[in-house]
Amino acid sequence: MTIRLYDTGARQIRDFVPLRPGCVSIYLCGATVQAAPHIGHIRSGLNFDIMRRWFAYRGYEVTFIRNVTDIDDKIIAKAAEQGRPWWSIGYDNERAFNDGYTALGCLPPTYEPRATGHVTEMTEMMRRLIDRGHAYAADGNVYFDVRSFPDYLQLSRQELDNLLQPAGEGETGKRDPRDFAMWKAAKPGEPTWPTPWGEGRPGWHLECSAMAHKYLGSAFDIHGGGLDLIFPHHENEIAQARAFGDEFARYWVHNAWVTMAGDKMSKSLGNSVLVSEMVRAWRPVVLRYYLGTPHYRSMIEYSEEALREAESAFARIEGFVQRVTELAGRSVEPSAEVPPAFADAMDDDLGVPQALAVVHTTVRQGNSALSADDKDAAVARLAEVRAMLGVLGLDPLDEQWAGESGRGEDLHGVVDGLVRLVLEQREAARARKDWATADAIRDQLGQSGLVVEDSPQGPRWTPGRR
């Protein structure tokens, strides 16, 4: 058994060889908390949640760090725009991100450090980089000298002579316009922290290099994030960390975007779909299915039609799970191992689409067993399905989702009683072979958003999409 991952640095799929046998260390660039999350933000958390679950299934002890960037230019700009303290905006949006991760079933990270809690570590990193000739102070700023690091731009594979380094306001005193800021000099009205080079605040790139070093040491296995972070963020992280003396990340794994009309979903484009709104319109488990089942390196073009397809696909799985559970009259525990074809797909660069095809094939086999009244085979297929869905975080019987389909449970009993009265009328019509009346009742229930299904145990109803 060997897990293989696409390494952005190598531009190829590589066998995963951990630094420490049986352990895997992962650093994921998490939220920049200037605003509430859209589904594009949460996709990254979901993709790496599935990675984490697969490593755990394969027997690895996982250390998973997902940071919070709680100070940067955008947060300060939002604070000025809204007339609120910067920390208030950051805190509210950090909670919104965590609510989104939780709603979509992401396991909590091992640690979730905030940038503002690690200024001491950033200061020590800058001190050593200056001493080694890789950084310099100017006008209260501290810059990284990109020409001092020969391997700069190896991740993004750009040419230094053609580089246009993003620059922020007040970044004066640079020796080379391509040098990037690790520390930004204090400006009126902005938050500041003391350093040997003057009051100021950290640059975005320095935060992650310092936090990865603190929580994962000088070398760790996997660094993750969205494709948009390859440059400048991850490129600059590498330069700082390796010039500091760290080996840093051994594998670089990047997830693709959620797009709308071909554009990356972003707040600046005004095309974001907030998670808080989406979970009101769609069941969170359906959103997880929609965002988590495409391959992590494939773009997702957002559309309601695609969401409806995901809803229907998950409903087929969920219906099978419910039918076999009812037939067995007990909870069917997941099997100890997933089917080999599922494992092969997941080992091959987290091939979730291929793994999901195994889930649907197993569901079809289980449904055939139900039709043939082969209870033992149906139960066996359900055990396999639950094992596979558990890895993907999509098991309908998991306590994360168990009560979800019954949101509004206080009215469920009333609705159930009323629907069953109508179903009794339908059954009476069927008994007297009045098929037109029976079909009309079913169709009327369907128009009301209820799906009626005939089973060996009698008719059953489930809510359709709201």
Side-chain angles (χ1 to χ4, degrees):
M1 176 276 296
T2 301
I3 295 175
R4 297 175 295 280
L5 295 171
Y6 183 85
D7 178 8
T8 303
R11 296 296 194 275
Q12 64 181 359
I13 293 176
R14 297 172 54 203
D15 288 351
F16 176 73
V17 180
L19 275 166
R20 293 173 52 209
C23 299
V24 58
S25 46
I26 304 170
Y27 185 94
L28 174 63
C29 283
T32 298
V33 289
Q34 86 271 16
H38 57 63
I39 58 174
H41 293 128
I42 298 298
R43 182 192 182 183
S44 180
L46 265 175
N47 288 152
F48 285 90
D49 181 66
I50 292 171
M51 173 192 281
R52 173 194 187 168
R53 289 170 183 263
W54 184 243
F55 272 114
Y57 172 83
R58 280 305 199 191
Y60 286 87
E61 179 184 334
V62 182
T63 301
F64 181 59
I65 310 299
R66 185 182 67 210
N67 77 292
V68 175
T69 297
D70 60 341
I71 185 67
D72 85 332
D73 293 342
K74 295 176 183 178
I75 295 171
I76 292 171
K78 286 283 184 182
E81 177 186 315
Q82 297 179 18
R84 295 172 57 195
W86 62 271
W87 46 262
S88 173
I89 289 175
Y91 179 68
D92 285 350
N93 291 315
E94 181 182 342
R95 291 181 63 187
F97 268 89
N98 283 327
D99 288 347
Y101 292 132
T102 300
L104 270 64
C106 294
L107 300 172
T110 309
Y111 305 109
E112 192 168 27
R114 295 187 183 98
T116 54
H118 297 80
V119 173
T120 298
E121 289 82 0
M122 296 178 210
T123 301
E124 290 305 309
M125 184 167 277
M126 287 188 289
R127 191 192 309 274
R128 182 184 294 186
L129 289 171
I130 289 173
D131 289 346
R132 290 186 168 191
H134 291 291
Y136 58 94
D139 299 339
N141 303 293
V142 178
Y143 298 110
F144 186 91
D145 180 354
V146 297
R147 289 192 176 276
S148 74
F149 185 67
D151 291 337
Y152 189 58
L153 301 179
Q154 281 196 355
L155 182 68
S156 58
R157 299 196 177 183
Q158 299 181 77
E159 295 292 334
L160 185 60
D161 290 341
N162 299 327
L163 180 66
L164 294 175
Q165 181 77 257
E169 182 183 351
E171 293 184 8
T172 61
K174 284 187 179 182
R175 298 174 184 170
D176 186 312
R178 291 161 294 195
D179 294 345
F180 61 87
M182 295 191 294
W183 190 259
K184 300 188 177 188
K187 299 183 185 69
E190 291 190 356
T192 63
W193 288 261
T195 73
W197 312 283
E199 294 275 337
R201 60 182 175 85
W204 177 30
H205 317 302
L206 179 64
E207 298 170 354
C208 285
S209 297
M211 288 186 284
H213 177 85
K214 179 176 179 66
Y215 292 96
L216 296 177
S218 61
F220 57 96
D221 292 305
I222 298 169
H223 196 311
L227 283 173
D228 52 319
L229 299 182
I230 294 174
F231 182 83
H233 187 48
H234 289 167
E235 196 73 77
N236 292 351
E237 279 188 61
I238 292 170
Q240 293 164 155
R242 292 188 177 163
F244 178 76
D246 287 353
E247 180 184 347
F248 209 49
R250 303 179 76 218
Y251 297 81
W252 288 86
V253 179
H254 292 92
N255 63 277
W257 304 327
V258 179
T259 61
M260 293 181 72
D263 290 326
K264 174 188 173 236
M265 187 172 287
S266 69
K267 300 183 187 73
S268 61
L269 291 177
N271 61 2
S272 60
V273 182
L274 295 180
V275 176
S276 58
E277 297 300 320
M278 293 294 286
V279 297
R280 294 177 186 173
W282 301 87
R283 292 173 58 196
V285 69
V286 169
L287 285 175
R288 183 179 178 98
Y289 187 100
Y290 171 67
L291 293 172
T293 54
H295 194 275
Y296 75 90
R297 290 194 285 120
S298 298
M299 296 293 181
I300 298 175
E301 175 68 15
Y302 171 79
S303 71
E304 285 212 3
E305 181 182 357
L307 262 166
R308 285 193 293 270
E309 291 173 358
E311 182 181 53
S312 297
F314 184 74
R316 290 193 292 273
I317 297 172
E318 191 174 38
F320 166 71
V321 172
Q322 291 171 345
R323 285 190 293 273
V324 180
T325 301
E326 290 173 2
L327 177 65
R330 59 182 172 82
S331 176
V332 177
E333 293 301 313
S335 58
E337 296 185 358
V338 298
F342 181 95
D344 289 344
M346 293 298 291
D347 282 340
D348 188 11
D349 194 31
L350 304 176
V352 174
Q354 295 78 13
L356 192 65
V358 180
V359 174
H360 283 288
T361 296
T362 308
V363 167
R364 287 193 294 271
Q365 293 169 347
N367 283 328
S368 296
L370 284 173
S371 298
D373 291 327
D374 188 345
K375 177 180 175 181
D376 290 343
V379 168
R381 298 294 79 74
L382 175 56
E384 292 172 346
V385 167
R386 287 202 66 194
M388 292 185 283
L389 294 177
V391 167
L392 301 176
L394 289 168
D395 182 1
L397 300 182
D398 187 278
E399 62 182 27
Q400 168 77 26
W401 314 118
E404 185 194 276
S405 60
R407 286 186 293 179
E409 193 68 29
D410 52 334
L411 292 177
H412 188 277
V414 175
V415 174
D416 183 62
L418 294 173
V419 173
R420 292 200 175 279
L421 284 175
V422 178
L423 290 178
E424 286 174 9
Q425 296 175 13
R426 178 172 177 266
E427 287 301 290
R430 286 163 59 89
R432 63 177 182 267
K433 298 185 178 180
D434 184 357
W435 309 117
T437 298
D439 290 346
I441 291 173
R442 183 190 61 198
D443 292 345
Q444 285 180 326
L445 288 172
Q447 291 171 9
S448 300
L450 303 176
V451 177
V452 176
E453 180 181 13
D454 294 310
S455 72
Q457 291 75 39
R460 57 197 299 274
W461 68 274
T462 55
R465 179 170 175 256
R466 296 177 302 282

